[in-house]
Amino acid sequence: MTKGNINVSVENIFPLIKKFLYSDHEIFLRELISNATDATLKLKHLTNIGESKVEYGNPQIEVKIDKDAKKLHIIDQGLGMTAEEVEKYINQVAFSGAEEFLDKYKDSAKDAGIIGHFGLGFYSAFMVADKVEIITKSHTDAPAAHWTCDGSPEFTLEEADKTERGTEIILHIAEDSTEFLEESRIRELLLKYNKFMPVPIKFGTKTETLPKPEGAKEDDPAPTKEVDNIINNPNPAWTKQPADLEADDYKNFYRELYPMQFEEPLFNIHLNVDYPFNLTGILYFPKMSADLQIQKDKIQLYQNQVFVTDNVEGIVPEFLTMLRGVIDSPDIPLNVSRSYLQADGAVKKISSYITRKVADKLKSLFNNNREDFEAKWNDIKIVIEYGMLSEEKFFEKADAFALYPTVDGKYYTFEELTNAIKAKQTDKDDKMVILYASDKDAQHAYIEAAKEKDYEVLLLDSPIVSHLMQKLETTKEKISFARVDADHIDNLIKKEDSSISKLSEDEKTKLDELLKEVIPSEKFMVQLEAMDSNASPFMITQPEFMRRMKEMQQTGGGMFGMGNMPEMYNLVVNTNSELVGEILNTKTKKKQERLINQSLDLARLSQGLLKGEELTNFIKRSYDMIK
Ligand code: ADP
Ligand code: MG
């Protein structure tokens, strides 16, 4: 029997481990199962290259709770350790055997999938146990070894009689950690961290129903059998080649990742690179809702099939954190601060690779089946618009597939849109005016008026679209966006109809004075326009600039610092309309005022600006008029 001191520089490392190293004590299980997995994969590698003579077989890892004795066992059938190896790898803390193994088998073991250190590794066991035992039998002829340590730097090491190869770790769970003796808690941890680890993990047994024997009666119970309960899927979809997977495999994997999610994903993107960094994964586009915040943190980050975190901030570009799925990369440095992560060169490359891959996939979906892409647009636009705003590279690529739907359900790319409107929708300064509505019902009258003129009207209703329009206006040449009820539409109308006016200059002056007497000047800027006689007599518009700034203030968290802008509207009066002629020709001032007020209220009503007492008065007045 050997006795000795564990070689650590800090006098007593265990209290430290317990208190400071991890806020999450639960990760001890991830560490121990990672070690068991490594031991198994190392043996696989050694048998592959002929350095181990044992039969590899179908090794598993078993996790066993002994509640009465307050023990947790983690048992593997990996390569095991000799007593010398225990001395070296366990007793010399901070000596990572994984690193040494990878170093020794540099060329052949690169792809063996060995996990190695995440953090403290084996010693994290002392976060939950006050005594730990290792009983291990090497795959070589060396006798088995039994190591025991009670949480002080002293350990014992003696021979053991274990005959089958592999390692058993026994944790004597501490008084304050008895939660780890609960089956439900351990199951939860196994499902969280080890659900896709490459070696099968057995946890208890389950009852399996067998087919009924030949000639069994109708109500004979089907025979059952107790079988190993394997908790993980060692071959998750992302570790396979895209060519080997069908559409259904991707859907099934989504179900496996999100068992509580009933909606199917819209499409998936399989990530697969091994140079200049190693990254695999599958990302899914779910149906998006307008609420951006609640959809975050659904992407899971793995390293060699070990779950690390579901906060991928800094690794995945911000706009893609709304996606779901899995990213697996051994090249992402862990246990570093997020700000360090963002500055890391490898991580930057990974992030821009993901962006490019997502853009390419969207483009190919658009090219291969435009109809389907259009049908999904509403559910994905928020991600794409957000991406266009936040990532310049993505903005450039998105030009090929970003869609601009019209109120009639037509979908244009930006290029198609400008081709469609070029001839008819240019203003006085030869700028193209892209008309849009944000709410089909609320802006119905204006949409109809624009359609009457044969203008195209887009339906742009996502919450960040005003920012996107601003960006497009500054990037593209000679275009501007104008909501159907904005003042830009006047420019378009003016351009066409300015020649024909029914009123004389005298009449115009008279009308102008009359209107200014009745209509409050602090709320409305009166504009006389000679428009089509069928167009509305009174129409309220708001300067596009003013309204959009307000919208951006609301969705941009005050990033423009504009303060509160006053409510100011234009009142466009159509001097060619019959009603305006009638107002002018009405004899008494009182009647004229009544007509103007009623018309103004109708214009306000159609903009949704008539509310409260004013609305009540209007309705009362209208009834009086018709009775
Ligand atoms: P790392 O996994 O980064 O090497 P650990 O502290 O987790 O660091 O483990 C230290 C070393 O102990 C391992 O590299 C390995 O050589 C050895 N070891 C730990 N657990 C096992 C095991 N179950 N079977 C064989 N060797 C093990
Ligand atoms: Mg380890």
Side-chain angles (χ1 to χ4, degrees):
M1 170 157 157
T2 317
K3 279 193 173 215
N5 269 317
I6 291 164
N7 179 12
V8 285
S9 42
V10 186
E11 172 45 37
N12 195 340
I13 198 171
F14 299 112
L16 271 177
I17 293 171
K18 207 155 188 157
K19 282 211 186 80
F20 302 118
L21 285 173
Y22 285 104
S23 43
D24 270 348
H25 284 179
E26 64 181 39
I27 61 96
F28 79 93
L29 191 60
R30 175 187 83 181
E31 294 297 329
L32 295 180
I33 291 182
S34 295
N35 284 349
T37 303
D38 276 356
T40 310
L41 295 178
K42 283 177 189 167
L43 182 67
K44 185 179 185 180
H45 185 68
L46 293 182
T47 55
N48 275 345
I49 61 170
E51 279 203 24
S52 178
K53 300 285 170 267
V54 301
E55 183 67 38
Y56 181 64
N58 294 305
Q60 355 179 285
I61 295 166
E62 181 175 5
V63 178
K64 224 163 58 180
I65 299 172
D66 182 349
K67 208 168 172 173
D68 295 334
K70 298 193 175 153
K71 289 194 287 190
L72 184 67
H73 302 248
I74 294 111
I75 307 153
D76 69 60
Q77 296 156 14
L79 86 178
M81 283 178 277
T82 62
E84 291 72 45
E85 286 167 334
V86 174
E87 280 272 9
K88 186 171 168 190
Y89 298 130
I90 300 297
N91 292 345
Q92 298 181 22
V93 180
F95 187 92
S96 170
E99 253 166 77
E100 197 198 51
F101 186 91
L102 285 176
D103 212 37
K104 181 166 172 200
Y105 297 99
K106 232 193 260 113
D107 303 317
S108 62
K110 233 190 299 183
D111 300 322
I114 289 156
I115 299 155
H117 60 189
F118 266 108
L120 199 65
F122 170 75
Y123 280 92
S124 60
F126 288 96
M127 294 193 297
V128 301
D130 41 34
K131 180 173 158 193
V132 178
E133 295 177 67
I134 305 173
I135 303 168
T136 179
K137 165 80 183 78
S138 164
H139 65 114
T140 63
D141 294 334
H146 185 175
W147 178 92
T148 315
C149 181
D150 66 1
S152 71
E154 280 140 40
F155 70 90
T156 62
L157 183 61
E158 55 195 332
E159 255 191 53
D161 51 12
K162 182 174 166 70
T163 51
E164 65 284 15
R165 73 158 198 257
T167 301
E168 174 166 7
I169 310 282
I170 304 168
L171 307 186
H172 297 255
I173 299 294
E175 215 38 69
D176 61 2
S177 300
T178 49
E179 62 185 289
F180 300 113
L181 291 169
E182 298 299 331
E183 197 200 307
S184 59
R185 180 76 171 117
I186 295 298
R187 178 187 306 279
E188 179 197 333
L189 292 181
L190 292 173
L191 288 174
K192 176 170 172 187
Y193 293 104
N194 310 296
K195 193 170 168 187
F196 299 113
M197 284 189 70
V199 177
I201 300 165
K202 177 191 169 184
F203 185 55
T205 57
K206 63 178 179 195
T207 316
E208 211 173 68
T209 315
L210 299 170
K212 285 187 190 179
E214 199 84 31
K217 286 205 201 87
E218 184 84 33
D219 38 309
D220 277 352
T224 57
K225 181 174 89 169
E226 282 297 294
V227 293
D228 289 353
N229 179 33
I230 302 298
I231 208 124
N232 57 331
N233 169 6
N235 302 301
W238 86 81
T239 61
K240 297 176 188 169
Q241 288 301 314
D244 298 333
L245 295 166
E246 307 278 337
D248 268 353
D249 296 321
Y250 287 109
K251 280 187 190 152
N252 292 340
F253 181 58
Y254 186 77
R255 198 82 329 123
E256 222 176 313
L257 281 177
Y258 311 106
M260 307 307 273
Q261 189 69 43
F262 298 110
E263 288 225 60
E264 300 249 305
L266 298 168
F267 50 85
N268 61 268
I269 299 165
H270 198 132
L271 308 168
N272 201 342
V273 243
D274 46 31
Y275 184 83
F277 49 84
N278 198 302
L279 178 104
T280 51
I282 300 174
L283 294 179
Y284 292 92
F285 264 75
K287 276 194 169 197
M288 298 288 167
S289 73
D291 189 343
L292 304 182
Q293 285 311 316
I294 54 159
Q295 316 195 55
K296 286 191 171 185
D297 287 343
K298 292 279 171 25
I299 297 177
Q300 303 179 354
L301 178 64
Y302 287 76
Q303 275 201 356
N304 289 319
Q305 295 173 238
V306 189
F307 174 80
V308 180
T309 173
D310 49 17
N311 178 358
V312 292
E313 208 186 305
I315 297 158
V316 163
E318 161 93 13
F319 78 103
L320 292 176
T321 56
M322 287 178 272
L323 304 190
R324 302 205 173 136
V326 170
I327 290 171
D328 188 334
S329 175
D331 293 332
I332 297 170
L334 298 167
N335 300 321
V336 295
S337 76
R338 292 278 156 184
S339 54
Y340 176 86
L341 203 59
Q342 271 157 358
D344 185 86
V347 175
K348 269 194 192 142
K349 279 199 195 108
I350 289 173
S351 168
S352 64
Y353 164 80
I354 294 173
T355 305
R356 184 154 39 88
K357 205 57 201 194
V358 169
D360 291 347
K361 176 75 180 194
L362 289 165
K363 190 170 171 196
S364 80
L365 285 168
F366 173 78
N367 288 339
N368 296 341
N369 189 349
R370 178 160 177 168
E371 211 178 312
D372 185 54
F373 191 79
E374 287 180 359
K376 287 170 178 164
W377 178 254
N378 235 342
D379 293 314
I380 60 174
K381 65 183 176 194
I382 194 113
V383 180
I384 296 176
E385 288 168 355
Y386 194 12
M388 289 170 78
L389 276 173
S390 54
E391 302 276 322
E392 206 47 46
K393 285 256 162 56
F394 189 80
F395 180 82
E396 286 159 23
K397 293 206 163 220
D399 219 23
F401 55 77
L403 292 179
Y404 302 86
T406 69
V407 286
D408 302 317
K410 220 182 321 173
Y411 289 82
Y412 287 122
T413 61
F414 195 80
E415 198 188 339
E416 291 164 353
L417 174 70
T418 48
N419 286 336
I421 66 173
K422 203 176 280 164
K424 49 189 177 185
Q425 275 167 252
T426 42
D427 69 7
K428 293 183 304 222
D429 311 320
D430 222 28
K431 224 181 189 182
M432 235 185 283
V433 181
I434 301 170
L435 294 178
Y436 71 97
S438 57
D439 183 327
K440 249 163 115 171
D441 291 331
Q443 291 143 17
H444 183 264
Y446 296 88
I447 295 172
E448 288 305 304
K451 278 177 29 185
E452 193 97 324
K453 298 257 162 215
D454 201 29
Y455 294 151
E456 292 283 354
V457 181
L458 301 181
L459 181 63
L460 302 178
D461 56 5
S462 56
I464 51 172
V465 82
S466 47
H467 296 272
L468 183 62
M469 290 187 289
Q470 202 79 358
K471 174 144 180 83
L472 287 164
E473 283 171 351
T474 52
T475 341
K476 308 271 183 189
E477 267 166 38
K478 288 204 135 205
I479 60 140
S480 69
F481 282 85
R483 208 165 85 173
V484 276
D485 54 351
D487 54 355
H488 287 55
I489 195 168
D490 314 339
N491 292 339
L492 286 179
I493 294 165
K494 234 185 280 177
K495 190 185 148 212
E496 278 188 10
D497 298 310
S498 52
S499 51
I500 10 138
S501 176
K502 284 185 184 168
L503 298 188
S504 68
E505 287 306 310
D506 261 10
E507 285 172 313
K508 272 195 215 163
T509 319
K510 220 176 111 193
L511 179 66
D512 196 44
E513 278 167 8
L514 183 59
L515 290 169
K516 280 184 179 146
E517 264 176 57
V518 184
I519 290 164
S521 64
E522 71 280 4
K523 279 197 188 142
F524 297 100
M525 272 253 305
V526 176
Q527 289 173 16
L528 301 187
E529 303 289 351
M531 297 192 283
D532 200 284
S533 57
N534 290 327
S536 289
F538 281 44
M539 214 191 276
I540 290 172
T541 63
Q542 194 178 21
E544 173 74 12
F545 157 81
M546 197 179 271
R547 203 208 52 254
R548 210 187 301 163
M549 281 301 159
K550 274 192 184 161
E551 279 171 13
M552 292 204 290
Q553 263 178 350
Q554 279 163 11
T555 53
M559 66 197 254
F560 295 93
M562 311 281 302
N564 265 338
M565 295 212 291
E567 291 286 347
M568 187 70 196
Y569 296 93
N570 300 323
L571 177 67
V572 183
V573 177
N574 180 3
T575 55
N576 285 345
S577 67
E578 229 174 288
L579 180 65
V580 170
E582 210 178 302
I583 293 174
L584 265 179
N585 295 330
T586 297
K587 291 282 157 346
T588 70
K589 190 86 183 242
K590 213 172 148 203
K591 273 191 185 157
Q592 279 180 322
E593 275 177 24
R594 238 179 51 198
L595 283 173
I596 292 169
N597 277 326
Q598 188 72 5
S599 305
L600 175 63
D601 278 356
L602 282 166
R604 294 165 85 193
L605 191 67
S606 88
Q607 253 293 23
L609 293 171
L610 203 56
K611 286 180 187 127
E613 192 180 345
E614 286 180 319
L615 180 60
T616 313
N617 290 342
F618 168 79
I619 289 169
K620 207 167 150 235
R621 199 169 353 113
S622 300
Y623 278 127
D624 287 343
M625 278 168 75
I626 55 174
K627 82 184 166 203

